[in-house]
Amino acid sequence: MELKTPLYDVHIAEGGKIVPFAGYLLPVQYGQGVIAEHNAVRTACGMFDVSHMGEITLTGETAKDSLNHLLTNDYTEMPINKVRYSVMCNENGGCVDDLVVYKFAEDDYLLVVNASNRHKDFDHIKANILPGTVAEDISDSLAQIALQGPKSLDVMKKLVPEEKLPQKYYTAERHVDIDGVDCLVSRTGYTGEFGYEIYIPKDEAEHIWKALREAGEEFGLIPCGLGARDTLRLEAAMPLYGHEMNDEITPLEAGLDFGVKMNKPEFIGKAALEAAGEPKVIRVGLEVTGRGIIREHQDVYLGEEKIGYTTSGTHCPFVGKAVAMAMMPREHSEIGTKVNVDVRGRMVEAEIVPLPFYKK
């Protein structure tokens, strides 16, 4: 049975169309529809309930060493109040999950993981942390709201003095008073746009949602659902677990090299990545040049030869194009290469283009 986030009743009151997702009942869209929500985030601001995400704390004198063992990125010199992206690999180099890490002290970290992987991730972490590290799943105590778009700062300034907010991308402030509620606020997001992610005690979620809605009314703030979240992240070419990565796809194949530090002494999966060498298959961008829309799990052809498959695809409203991401052989991944995609038995022409499709 699907769970409800602390904001479920708010979504019903807001007219959200509820669907099951990652074990939760969440709004896929509201009355204005996905396109309006998508464009609001690109031009003004939108607000998402992302309370389904998982939150895991790592504390203790060996917490930093455990992070460096578990994750592909390097946490040795990470500043306090910094946020850092990483992948968590299995022994074969495949992706257990991708996640972000918040550092509050040398012995105090918060890991935010994908909702569908929460329990799998926690089991993996508990099985692989070092003695002296304590892992705790605190997901059920929190709600999370993502405020995204160029007007996000204007909205937040109505509730919080600007100097109290995180100033730089991928930084956080742990104790931010928003309308009387102690919140964690970070300059992060999954839309390719300026914005914040706000972590709230679950009993205060509805209060903060309504405070943000009221503060954002003059700036065009609207609630947004899963549909716009997916089109926004695809337009920004942000990978999604279960699509551009999984337990078989490595982070190097997924194009996540920036979060993989092969010069670290060790991490789970490093030996397998080294043994595999340069990836033979990589993630590429496709733009439809023919007629049609490409979706996920569709075969990509070069002439008569099937060479790859799509991982995500749709029409992206702001760039006004049908696009997709795909896994393709490196030797056929050159920008400008013309391919065909089998869309339910009909070949749709496409071309390999640079990623991301949109960058602000």
Side-chain angles (χ1 to χ4, degrees):
M1 187 176 77
E2 278 82 20
L3 302 171
K4 296 176 180 177
T5 76
L7 290 164
Y8 177 82
D9 291 340
V10 173
H11 303 317
I12 297 298
E14 293 261 24
K17 181 182 177 182
I18 304 297
V19 298
F21 177 81
Y24 286 82
L25 294 171
L26 289 161
V28 67
Q29 65 179 66
Y30 296 86
Q32 294 188 54
V34 172
I35 293 174
E37 293 169 21
H38 181 113
N39 287 328
V41 172
R42 289 280 180 254
T43 61
C45 50
M47 191 161 69
F48 302 80
D49 176 12
V50 284
S51 304
H52 57 298
M53 300 294 280
E55 290 89 12
I56 297 166
T57 59
L58 283 192
T59 56
E61 60 184 15
T62 62
K64 182 193 295 183
D65 294 333
S66 288
L67 277 178
N68 277 326
H69 175 59
L70 285 162
L71 305 180
T72 59
N73 214 329
D74 192 348
Y75 293 87
T76 308
E77 301 296 333
M78 184 178 182
I80 289 171
N81 289 339
K82 181 74 176 163
V83 187
R84 186 165 288 169
Y85 176 87
S86 187
V87 178
M88 185 159 60
C89 284
N90 55 37
E91 292 288 359
N92 298 321
C95 301
V96 176
D97 203 0
D98 70 329
L99 55 107
V100 292
V101 176
Y102 292 68
K103 180 177 179 177
F104 303 120
E106 296 298 327
D107 58 355
D108 187 2
Y109 299 85
L110 172 69
L111 284 62
V112 182
V113 303
N114 283 296
S116 57
N117 291 336
R118 169 188 163 186
H119 299 294
K120 177 187 82 166
D121 288 358
F122 189 53
D123 289 343
H124 178 84
I125 289 167
K126 281 194 301 181
N128 290 286
I129 53 175
L130 306 176
T133 301
V134 177
E136 184 181 0
D137 183 348
I138 62 167
S139 309
D140 292 333
S141 68
L142 296 174
Q144 189 192 151
I145 295 171
L147 178 67
Q148 301 283 296
K151 298 287 187 182
S152 297
L153 176 57
D154 295 318
V155 177
M156 291 294 281
K157 283 196 299 186
K158 292 192 71 174
L159 297 166
V160 181
E162 185 174 357
E163 64 271 15
K164 300 287 188 183
L165 294 168
Q167 302 297 309
K168 295 181 179 179
Y169 188 49
Y170 264 61
T171 63
E173 293 295 335
R174 195 174 201 174
H175 297 292
V176 178
D177 185 316
I178 302 179
D179 207 36
V181 178
D182 186 29
C183 301
L184 164 63
V185 179
S186 60
R187 270 277 313 274
T188 52
Y190 193 50
T191 61
E193 212 56 66
F194 179 96
Y196 301 93
E197 290 179 310
I198 306 164
Y199 299 80
I200 309 147
K202 68 175 183 180
D203 294 340
E204 298 286 358
E206 196 167 320
H207 172 75
I208 296 300
W209 179 277
K210 290 176 179 176
L212 288 166
R213 285 285 275 135
E214 184 177 338
E217 189 172 0
E218 67 178 284
F219 303 110
L221 171 67
I222 61 172
C224 302
L226 295 166
R229 186 166 159 85
D230 194 52
T231 55
L232 286 159
R233 72 93 194 168
L234 176 56
E235 202 170 66
M238 292 177 160
L240 175 63
Y241 191 89
H243 293 254
E244 287 70 43
M245 64 189 118
N246 57 36
D247 286 289
E248 281 74 51
I249 297 173
T250 74
L252 301 182
E253 291 171 333
L256 302 174
D257 315 47
F258 67 92
V260 182
K261 305 306 182 194
M262 295 299 289
N263 57 350
K264 276 206 312 185
E266 68 87 32
F267 59 82
I268 297 171
K270 181 184 177 186
L273 293 177
E274 285 178 330
E278 186 178 66
K280 297 176 177 61
V281 174
I282 61 172
R283 175 169 62 107
V284 303
L286 297 177
E287 182 181 315
V288 173
T289 54
R291 293 173 60 86
I293 294 177
I294 301 172
R295 305 290 185 187
E296 63 191 74
H297 306 316
Q298 294 179 328
D299 293 331
V300 180
Y301 286 81
L302 186 63
E304 300 295 314
E305 181 187 2
K306 184 171 81 173
I307 59 168
Y309 62 93
T310 58
T311 54
S312 299
T314 190
H315 184 270
C316 285
F318 193 73
V319 297
K321 297 172 181 175
V323 299
M325 291 189 284
M327 300 303 292
M328 303 262 281
R330 181 179 290 276
E331 66 264 29
H332 297 312
S333 63
E334 188 175 344
I335 302 301
T337 300
K338 306 283 195 291
V339 296
N340 288 289
V341 181
D342 185 349
V343 180
R344 296 186 299 279
R346 186 174 70 85
M347 289 299 183
V348 172
E349 296 173 347
E351 180 178 321
I352 298 178
V353 296
L355 292 174
F357 307 109
Y358 164 84
K359 189 172 185 180
K360 66 178 171 58

